[in-house]
Amino acid sequence: MRSMIKMSLLALLVFPPAAASAGAARSYAAGRTLLQIDNETRNVKSADGGFVRGEVVADPAGNKHLGSLSIEPIRAQIGIEDFIPFISTSLSDPAKVDGVNGAIYVADFDNKPISSREFTGAVLSEFTLPELSGDAKDQRPLVIVLQPESVRDSGNKGAPPASGAGAKPKQWLATNYRMTIPGMQTTRVRKIEALTVTRKLAKGDVGEQRIAKVEPGHWEIPNLVFYIADQEAPAFVKWYEDFVVNGKNDDKSEKTMTIEFLDPTLKSTLLTVNCTGVGIVSAKMDSPDGASDRIASLRVEVYMEKIELSSKGGPAAAAAPEPDPVPAPTPAAPAAGAAPPPERPAAPTAAATDGSAPAAAPAAAPAARKKRAAPSAEPALTPTPAPIAPVEKPIAPVEPAPARRRAPR
């Protein structure tokens, strides 16, 4: 009896009744969040903000009251393929005034709507590219910040279907990237630090609703820092000495740069960041800080005048590949077929690329063989009696000599 009681108590400790019902009642935070911007709706990692906030005003006597109202910005973590046309348009037009409309939807595991919040007149005020590193093992999202002009809670209104529903989101890791700077070796870029571009928002007249109208300004692009292996450091050190130390830093000395986010196969480009007006600021060796598993690399800092986003390969990436050397040995094909031995294809390939003089040497060898074979066919009948005549003469005296010596015995 005591053993049965002990077993029942042990079962209650290991499998409590609350744990059995936990699977049926899913938590509120375990649902999914959808973000809609104009006609594009995406499942996002998170989307917060967009609430109305009252600004406190105090008079000289210390009395406080609410003045104008403000709306908290909406901060969302999105995938590298989400809302690219909207972000690209906002970056290309620094003083874009026309805002966009959208909403934030929260649903549970069964896709039942829990809450929704609509916004209007929103403009992009901040955009962050994640850090890229060869040691990264996770997926890192993009971050966008929207500043709406008005918001309202629409209850448990259902969200429209997500754009591209049914298609699996493309997997991407922060280690799958490629940097291209024309004229520079960038195959060993070890890390690219995160980049956040922002722009200030001016507020217009408050008006009847006591909420200021949002007017965006120009983008502020900070410097970009990346680390490159010491094998490719000399070219960047020379660029730094010419551009910074020697003062050759006019507009013609600036470069372009492309950062590509690649799929797991490293063959397809998911997102491209095109940077123009790139100039180097500093280049110095980065010490390993005593860590045995780190290799010294060059820390490079550059400035950029403008960035653009694209879902395809950029112009810098298209100009990076070197000319293909494969078509050079193609003229050697006929020469290799004419020579019967297998060792001769190497010699005609070099001759075909140098000029006509080396090509004449292998042509003369077969011509000499043909000339020797032609005269040997005409006098073939004349030499036949010559070898027969001397053979019969030495045979005749050898046979009678031993016959005469044996007879007297």
Side-chain angles (χ1 to χ4, degrees):
M1 186 67 179
R2 293 180 178 178
S3 62
M4 294 180 62
I5 295 175
K6 290 181 180 180
M7 293 179 64
S8 60
L9 291 175
L10 182 62
L12 290 175
L13 292 174
V14 177
F15 303 103
S21 60
R26 292 167 179 167
S27 64
Y28 177 87
R32 62 192 186 99
T33 304
L34 290 88
L35 177 62
Q36 178 185 3
I37 298 179
D38 279 346
N39 297 325
E40 184 177 0
T41 304
R42 295 282 186 173
N43 289 297
V44 296
K45 188 175 182 180
S46 66
D48 303 318
F51 298 98
V52 179
R53 175 185 175 86
E55 300 294 337
V56 179
V57 179
D59 56 18
N63 299 321
K64 297 181 180 181
H65 62 276
L66 292 182
S68 61
L69 304 180
S70 62
I71 300 178
E72 296 179 353
I74 298 174
R75 179 177 296 270
Q77 297 182 357
I78 63 176
I80 60 172
E81 296 181 304
D82 298 343
F83 310 110
I84 299 303
F86 163 70
I87 300 174
S88 179
T89 303
S90 300
L91 292 176
S92 62
D93 188 0
K96 182 176 176 56
V97 179
D98 296 335
V100 295
N101 304 330
I104 301 174
Y105 302 94
V106 179
D108 59 8
F109 266 112
D110 299 325
N111 293 331
K112 293 181 180 180
I114 297 176
S115 65
S116 61
R117 189 163 55 259
E118 299 178 355
F119 56 85
T120 60
V123 296
L124 183 67
S125 61
E126 186 176 316
F127 172 64
T128 300
L129 289 169
E131 178 183 289
L132 308 177
S133 173
D135 300 330
K137 304 298 181 184
D138 57 347
Q139 296 185 6
R140 299 176 182 177
L142 306 179
V143 178
I144 60 174
V145 178
L146 305 173
Q147 181 60 59
E149 287 187 350
S150 65
V151 293
R152 71 182 185 91
D153 190 357
S154 53
N156 58 350
K157 179 180 178 181
S163 304
K168 267 190 170 184
K170 295 182 179 179
Q171 300 297 323
W172 174 81
L173 298 176
T175 187
N176 299 337
Y177 63 93
R178 177 171 57 213
M179 173 183 283
T180 304
I181 301 178
M184 310 291 288
Q185 291 292 331
T186 55
T187 57
R188 293 181 176 88
V189 177
R190 302 184 58 191
K191 185 175 72 171
I192 303 175
E193 293 186 358
L195 179 70
T196 300
V197 296
T198 59
R199 61 177 170 179
K200 296 181 179 179
L201 302 178
K203 295 183 178 181
D205 298 334
V206 174
E208 183 179 351
Q209 296 181 350
R210 296 186 300 160
I211 298 179
K213 181 178 177 60
V214 177
E215 296 181 358
H218 293 276
W219 287 102
E220 298 179 359
I221 304 176
N223 296 343
L224 179 67
V225 176
F226 59 91
Y227 300 81
I228 195 165
D230 55 355
Q231 294 93 332
E232 299 177 351
F236 286 90
V237 173
K238 186 180 183 305
W239 183 23
Y240 162 75
E241 291 177 352
D242 294 341
F243 199 85
V244 179
V245 179
N246 298 331
K248 299 178 180 179
N249 48 21
D250 54 357
D251 294 342
K252 296 181 180 179
S253 302
E254 294 178 342
K255 299 180 180 295
T256 60
M257 179 175 61
T258 298
I259 303 175
E260 296 177 82
F261 295 71
L262 306 176
D263 66 349
T265 63
L266 304 181
K267 295 181 180 179
S268 299
T269 301
L270 304 178
L271 176 66
T272 301
V273 182
N274 296 317
C275 309
T276 56
V278 180
I280 191 168
V281 175
S282 68
K284 59 182 180 180
M285 294 302 298
D286 179 50
S287 59
D289 297 333
S292 59
D293 57 343
R294 288 188 56 193
I295 302 175
S297 56
L298 186 70
R299 180 187 184 273
V300 181
E301 182 178 354
V302 297
Y303 70 81
M304 301 165 293
E305 295 179 351
K306 189 176 181 181
I307 65 173
E308 297 178 352
L309 297 186
S310 174
S311 57
K312 300 179 181 179
E322 298 179 355
D324 192 2
V326 176
T330 50
E343 294 84 359
R344 294 193 178 180
T349 53
T353 55
D354 295 340
S356 59
R369 293 178 183 177
K370 292 180 180 179
K371 291 180 180 180
R372 292 176 183 176
S376 62
E378 296 177 358
L381 300 176
T382 55
T384 48
I388 297 174
V391 173
E392 294 178 352
K393 291 179 180 178
I395 293 175
V398 173
E399 292 181 355
R404 292 178 182 177
R405 292 177 183 177
R406 291 177 184 176
R409 291 179 183 176

